[in-house]
Amino acid sequence: MNVILEFLIISIIFLNYYLLSTTSVRNLIKYAAYQGVIAALMPSFFEFHPSALGFMIALISLKGFVFPWLLIKLSEKYNIKYESKSKLLTPLFTSFLFISVFFLSFYLSYKLNFGSNNFHLLIPGSFITIFTGILIIIIKTKTLSQIVGYIVLENGIYCFGVSAFVKEPFTVEAAILLDIFVALFVMGMAVFHIGKEFNQLEVDSMNELKDTIEIIESKEE
Amino acid sequence: MENIIIFLKIIIILFLAPLFLGIINKVKAFFGGREGQSVFQMYYDLFKLFNKGIVYSKTTTLIFRYSPVIIFSLIFFANLMMPSFGMKGLFSFDGDFIFIIYLLGLIRFLIILSAMDCGSSFEGMGASREAWFSVFGELSFFISIIVLSSITGETSLYSMFSKLNLSLWSTNSAVLALILISLFFVLLVESSRVPFDDPNTHLELTMIHEVMILDNSGVDFGFMIYASSLKMWFFASFIANILLPSSNYSFLYGFFAYLISMFFIAVIIGIIESTIARVRLLKVPQLLLGSFSISLVALVFQVFRG
């Protein structure tokens, strides 16, 4: 069982690398969904509680089907295919970011020292996922990518939950899942309204909004 | 007994390395729906080239004249040092993998030097690329061997491969799989195969290995392509040694298992070449960085597991 778990952790780590460096919004959504499904499968390789099956199915259907469906529909509606080009999204820079996050997470989990061997590798894996989520929100400028960053962040927290609270991961996770579910719908509505108002979903363009207000103010003076 | 094995090894290396390329070409032809060239085409080519005269440019020096033979003998020696079918290589000592890596480095140095020596700007370009791409390839190779050494707790190639048994594979399969992927990338980049370089694209601006041997002719050219097929055989037998958990079985079994696994590696390379397109030249370092990070992940995993 441990070997399968290791493969799952490695696949989650490499998915993080891909998520950080890809410029295609559709692939970002798709691979974040794969990551969510893999993370959701994880607890069954520790101790399997039959009572948790319903929760796992709910998690897989939400992260694997409902969220991506919603986001891909939004991306098709506003015709968002690729990230806009920026200096932060070059392959070299994202690789550098990923490698530093990789080492930072392993160092942190080494310092934190959560005993037990089984969860040994899951903790750095979850740290990497959390940091990747944050970095996606920071370096990508499309609103949809930032929502995906939020989902990736949640995947990481879930992995951490699995490793730290393996007896009762579901009470913790249920609360987080409710949060993200509500947040995603709020974000989806916000995106919908932003798209309707400005006809584009580029976060960088929001900076210009402030300037126009200043210009108006200066004119009033 | 040992002498016989070494003799057998010399024969296998010298006579089967060109066949390895033939199998790859046959698989490619099969995927392209063609009859394809004969499996023994490489032998015919070598025979033809070894019967030809040599033309030297006036700008070349001794380096250009001697490097093909030296390169060939060095890679042949590296092949002899590689343990195969569960038997020791010609030499085996603690830390011999470092020696082998530097042997490969010396070969690369000589190829680059002889390419620069003939004074063509075209070949200088290829030499620059070879030097550039090999940085990551060599790093991945080195890290993979370190991980292997850490898993088995041994420091010579023979003892590493002989300790790698099924129980070790079942407990460390994740890390070993990562190393295998990384080593396969190294095999492809070192022998200039498809995702990195296309051996069939003569006289194109994006080639790497083929451009460096453009000015060699006749016997020299024959030695160069023979050396490149031996290099491929070297890396393939490294992978075969990891794949075959070789501890205690009979010599004959190990021998045939080795040959069959080499055949399968050739088929896999052929399938990769016919299904994947060549990567754009500017993207090659990214792909190599990917292979490097795979081996790095394997290393950190291995260290962290303790």
Side-chain angles (χ1 to χ4, degrees):
Chain A
M1 279 305 181
N2 244 334
V3 175
I4 301 172
L5 198 68
E6 268 180 18
F7 272 110
L8 292 185
I9 295 166
I10 286 173
S11 56
I12 280 190
I13 289 175
F14 280 110
L15 278 174
N16 280 330
Y17 182 52
Y18 182 77
L19 288 172
L20 196 60
S21 57
T22 185
T23 52
S24 154
V25 172
R26 206 192 162 89
N27 276 358
L28 189 77
I29 296 165
K30 230 164 47 184
Y31 284 87
Y34 294 153
Q35 195 185 45
V37 171
I38 292 173
L41 287 174
M42 259 181 188
S44 55
F45 293 106
F46 289 111
E47 293 167 51
F48 192 71
H49 303 282
S51 59
L53 194 69
F55 186 77
M56 203 157 90
I57 290 169
L59 205 61
I60 289 174
S61 57
L62 260 184
K63 282 185 184 169
F65 298 98
V66 177
F67 291 169
W69 172 75
L70 192 75
L71 291 172
I72 283 178
K73 221 176 107 182
L74 271 175
S75 76
E76 274 169 3
K77 185 166 183 178
Y78 294 105
N79 197 21
I80 299 165
K81 283 177 182 155
Y82 296 100
E83 276 294 322
S84 46
K85 277 186 181 158
S86 81
K87 278 178 185 165
L88 293 176
L89 255 179
T90 55
L92 200 69
F93 184 71
T94 47
S95 306
F96 171 72
L97 271 183
F98 183 75
I99 288 175
S100 29
V101 158
F102 185 79
F103 279 109
L104 180 70
S105 328
F106 270 88
Y107 177 73
L108 273 182
S109 38
Y110 171 72
K111 278 283 171 194
L112 279 171
N113 200 10
F114 283 92
S116 162
N117 253 331
N118 283 0
F119 321 127
H120 221 126
L121 290 165
L122 193 51
I123 291 165
S126 68
F127 277 144
I128 294 169
T129 318
I130 291 170
F131 285 134
T132 310
I134 296 168
L135 284 175
I136 287 172
I137 295 174
I138 293 171
I139 67 172
K140 303 209 170 179
T141 53
K142 294 275 188 242
T143 348
L144 286 178
S145 311
Q146 297 187 337
I147 297 175
V148 175
Y150 196 70
I151 295 174
V152 173
L153 189 74
E154 202 278 333
N155 285 342
I157 295 170
Y158 178 68
C159 288
F160 191 77
V162 169
S163 62
F165 317 101
V166 74
K167 290 257 167 56
E168 288 288 329
F170 304 115
T171 42
V172 182
E173 178 57 16
I176 304 168
L177 197 68
L178 192 69
D179 265 4
I180 192 186
F181 196 60
V182 173
L184 204 83
F185 273 89
V186 172
M187 279 177 180
M189 275 178 232
V191 164
F192 180 73
H193 283 291
I194 292 170
K196 217 166 80 177
E197 204 67 37
F198 300 110
N199 234 349
Q200 59 166 342
L201 292 177
E202 178 74 40
V203 181
D204 249 8
S205 319
M206 298 277 187
N207 290 333
E208 287 167 20
L209 287 177
K210 204 179 84 190
D211 293 338
T212 46
I213 290 167
E214 275 171 7
I215 292 164
I216 292 164
E217 278 174 354
S218 61
K219 270 183 187 171
E220 280 173 357
E221 281 167 8
Chain B
M1 183 67 184
E2 278 211 341
N3 290 335
I4 300 170
I5 286 168
I6 293 291
F7 184 69
L8 189 70
K9 218 166 145 171
I10 291 173
I11 289 177
I12 283 179
I13 291 165
L14 283 182
F15 284 88
L16 291 189
L19 190 70
F20 195 77
L21 280 174
I23 293 169
I24 293 174
N25 283 332
K26 204 71 183 169
V27 172
K28 276 167 85 174
F30 172 76
F31 268 81
R34 290 177 283 120
E35 176 84 11
Q37 50 184 218
S38 158
V39 185
F40 304 106
Q41 184 62 43
M42 181 85 179
Y43 297 98
Y44 304 144
D45 287 352
L46 285 176
F47 184 74
K48 184 188 75 186
L49 286 170
F50 283 134
N51 280 322
K52 275 190 165 183
I54 311 174
V55 182
Y56 288 121
S57 143
K58 277 178 189 166
T59 40
T60 57
T61 58
L62 282 180
I63 299 169
F64 187 77
R65 292 183 184 219
Y66 290 126
S67 52
V69 183
I70 301 174
I71 287 165
F72 175 77
S73 43
L74 283 176
I75 189 68
F76 181 58
F77 187 67
N79 261 306
L80 279 183
M81 277 190 72
M82 171 70 65
S84 40
F85 31 91
M87 295 289 161
K88 262 186 195 174
L90 190 59
F91 297 111
S92 177
F93 47 90
D94 280 349
D96 55 356
F97 61 86
I98 297 174
F99 178 73
I100 288 185
I101 286 172
Y102 276 92
L103 219 56
L104 294 173
L106 190 61
I107 293 164
R108 191 170 300 116
F109 171 70
L110 275 172
I111 289 190
I112 290 171
L113 213 60
S114 83
M116 304 279 268
D117 190 41
C118 70
S120 146
S121 53
F122 205 46
E123 297 204 14
M125 193 180 72
S128 132
R129 279 175 196 157
E130 170 86 7
W132 181 24
F133 296 157
S134 63
V135 171
F136 298 112
E138 208 164 73
L139 263 178
S140 319
F141 190 48
F142 204 73
I143 291 178
S144 305
I145 298 182
I146 289 172
V147 173
L148 205 61
S149 162
S150 152
I151 289 171
T152 53
E154 295 288 341
T155 48
S156 80
L157 278 181
Y158 172 68
S159 41
M160 264 183 228
F161 292 140
S162 54
K163 262 209 175 173
L164 205 64
N165 50 20
L166 271 180
S167 69
L168 216 56
W169 252 100
S170 61
T171 48
N172 298 299
S173 54
V175 175
L176 282 171
L178 283 180
I179 294 177
L180 274 182
I181 294 169
S182 174
L183 279 174
F184 209 79
F185 271 108
V186 174
L187 162 70
L188 293 176
V189 71
E190 289 283 345
S191 45
S192 313
R193 303 308 292 192
V194 151
F196 303 99
D197 184 16
D198 197 342
N200 295 327
T201 57
H202 273 287
L203 293 173
E204 275 184 25
L205 276 173
T206 51
M207 55 191 175
I208 301 162
H209 184 260
E210 297 299 321
V211 73
M212 288 192 296
I213 53 177
L214 265 182
D215 277 56
N216 293 86
S217 56
V219 182
D220 278 359
F221 188 56
F223 272 127
M224 280 298 202
I225 56 174
Y226 207 170
S228 74
S229 76
L230 281 181
K231 202 173 188 183
M232 204 163 187
W233 183 265
F234 173 83
F235 283 103
S237 61
F238 198 98
I239 293 174
N241 273 325
I242 297 178
L243 276 175
L244 293 173
S246 59
S247 45
N248 36 31
Y249 46 70
S250 68
F251 168 73
L252 214 62
Y253 179 78
F255 180 70
F256 284 110
Y258 174 74
L259 288 187
I260 289 169
S261 59
M262 290 298 271
F263 173 76
F264 272 106
I265 289 168
V267 171
I268 288 169
I269 293 171
I271 291 171
I272 286 175
E273 293 212 351
S274 34
T275 48
I276 293 179
R278 223 196 103 146
V279 176
R280 231 168 58 210
L281 191 72
L282 289 173
K283 294 236 173 183
V284 169
Q286 291 168 29
L287 201 60
L288 285 172
L289 207 65
S291 124
F292 170 61
S293 50
I294 288 173
S295 59
L296 204 68
V297 167
L299 180 69
V300 173
F301 251 63
Q302 181 56 29
V303 169
F304 212 73
R305 293 161 88 217

